Amino acid sequence: MRIAVYGASGHTGRLILADLRRRGISPLLVGRDADRLRAAATESGLPDAAIHVAQLDDQALAQAFRDVDVVINAVAPFIEFGEPVVRAAIAAGAHYVDISGEQAHIKRVFDTYSEPARQAGVTVVPMVNDGGFLGDLISSLAAARVERPEHVTLAHRITGGTGISRGSGRTAVANADTFVSGGEIYTRDDWRTGTPARTTKVTFPGDSQPSEVVKFALSEVVTVPRHVPADHVEGVADAEIATLFLNITTELAEALPEFPRDDPDSPDRFLVLADVTGSGGTARGYVEGTNTYQFTAIAAAEAAVRLATDGAQPGVLAPSQAFDPADILEALAAHGIRWSVGPTP
């Protein structure tokens, strides 16, 4: 099994390397700086791992990915740096996974690369992370309990824990316009900007009172309508999350730590929720866990190994189209997440 990690020297990239090593896999490290790649390999317990230096050039990257089964892309911001890696993986005949949570990038990947990926016989799965990935999977399971899904509300909340990384800060700046607008909502058979969210309050699992939520550019809004036949799909988030991303400036992003340290005594906690309503009833699914960066690394490695081992139909796929939702959630439950699907409270 041959897995390449592009952006291996970044924060999440290094965590992905460590998880692949835990699985007994020695990946190929690909990036733009040999010294940083070698340092990442050593720090991740892979001092003898192969490295390949390649700039963001289609031909150079395709050469780097030659004879690779799967490419994991951990570069950010994806809206700026992601597409050359997608193109190169397809050109090299390698399956592709990325960790992006950027709504605009993910929609562009579906719109632009679905047919090239199908023709090349490779599978492209963007958005394998702690947010949209889980939201897509749990939405599929909740919608399966509703005879005629009509409305899907996706909601995220993060509490406590370590601050965000410099890479996440740069991503917020690069996608500032999307965060200001709240992103796209799926309604009337298309994705639309400028449409307000219908949901303003959500009672999250474990809470006795509803929380204020605001329209937010959740990446799974791009993927859920591709496998859930709902008329309306929208994304909202706890107001504190929205405020955090809206307040990040270039100066603040550059002042953030490149490698934030996790606090084992107070880890960040994430919760991803899907409420599905329709003429056939209602259902709620949610997933919760801790350590967003660490979990993202585990999920990316899991997805890559599954594509290398079992494959999936060619093309750009939503997570629920590439993997059995319950099966992969059960596998990830061994790494600290809890998930549940049942009637809407």
Side-chain angles (χ1 to χ4, degrees):
M1 183 184 303
R2 186 76 159 154
I3 295 177
V5 180
Y6 186 82
S9 62
H11 181 49
T12 308
R14 295 186 183 209
L15 295 173
I16 292 170
L17 296 180
D19 196 72
L20 290 172
R21 178 185 59 80
R22 178 184 65 81
R23 297 167 186 262
I25 299 169
S26 182
L28 169 67
L29 282 66
V30 184
R32 291 168 286 179
D33 188 309
D35 292 337
R36 283 177 58 88
L37 290 173
R38 183 56 60 201
T42 300
E43 181 182 302
S44 304
L46 296 162
D48 299 322
I51 67 170
H52 192 122
V53 178
Q55 302 301 316
L56 281 170
D57 171 81
D58 288 24
Q59 186 174 353
L61 287 171
Q63 179 66 23
F65 300 149
R66 188 180 62 177
D67 300 325
V68 164
D69 297 308
V70 185
V71 174
I72 301 176
N73 187 5
V75 73
F78 286 86
I79 197 67
E80 296 179 356
F81 305 130
E83 281 193 89
V85 187
V86 181
R87 288 194 298 266
I90 293 172
H95 301 310
Y96 171 94
V97 167
D98 74 34
I99 61 170
S100 174
E102 301 169 42
Q103 192 184 74
H105 164 75
I106 293 159
K107 191 167 188 301
R108 184 182 297 173
V109 170
F110 273 94
D111 291 345
T112 306
Y113 299 104
S114 291
E115 187 57 30
R118 275 195 293 269
Q119 292 180 1
V122 302
T123 304
V124 172
V125 187
M127 194 185 71
V128 181
N129 53 36
D130 62 295
F133 179 66
L134 296 175
D136 185 271
L137 296 171
I138 205 67
S139 294
S140 178
L141 294 173
R145 297 199 174 204
V146 179
E147 183 178 343
R148 173 64 178 91
E150 296 173 357
H151 182 104
V152 180
T153 297
L154 302 149
H156 288 198
R157 179 169 72 177
I158 299 177
T159 57
T162 309
I164 65 176
S165 70
R166 187 179 305 160
S168 295
R170 289 172 175 170
T171 296
V173 172
N175 291 271
D177 290 345
T178 303
F179 287 128
V180 168
S181 71
E184 299 193 17
I185 283 176
Y186 180 84
T187 190
R188 299 176 187 170
D189 299 322
D190 200 3
W191 287 269
R192 305 171 188 273
T193 57
T195 303
R198 300 173 183 174
T199 307
T200 59
K201 293 184 178 181
V202 171
T203 303
F204 288 98
D207 290 358
S208 59
Q209 298 295 325
S211 297
E212 298 284 345
V213 293
V214 297
K215 181 186 176 187
F216 198 67
L218 298 185
S219 53
E220 63 266 42
V221 170
V222 174
T223 65
V224 169
R226 300 175 192 275
H227 55 84
V228 173
D231 302 319
H232 185 90
V233 180
E234 64 183 25
V236 297
D238 185 282
E240 291 185 9
I241 296 179
T243 300
L244 171 65
F245 278 86
L246 288 172
N247 287 340
I248 295 178
T249 63
T250 300
E251 294 73 21
L252 177 57
E254 296 306 314
L256 292 169
E258 184 175 9
F259 306 109
R261 294 183 177 274
D262 293 328
D263 183 351
D265 297 322
S266 180
D268 61 86
R269 300 181 180 276
F270 59 85
L271 191 150
V272 178
L273 171 74
D275 279 331
V276 182
T277 63
S279 57
T282 66
R284 163 173 282 193
Y286 68 90
V287 188
E288 56 184 347
T290 59
N291 295 316
T292 58
Y293 292 111
Q294 182 67 59
F295 177 79
T296 293
I298 292 169
E302 179 73 23
V305 168
R306 286 177 178 241
L307 287 180
T309 304
D310 304 322
Q313 69 183 55
V316 182
L317 303 182
S320 294
Q321 295 172 313
F323 312 109
D324 178 89
D327 183 66
I328 196 166
L329 285 172
E330 276 301 303
L332 293 170
H335 301 282
I337 67 164
R338 293 195 312 115
W339 64 281
S340 176
V341 180
T344 304

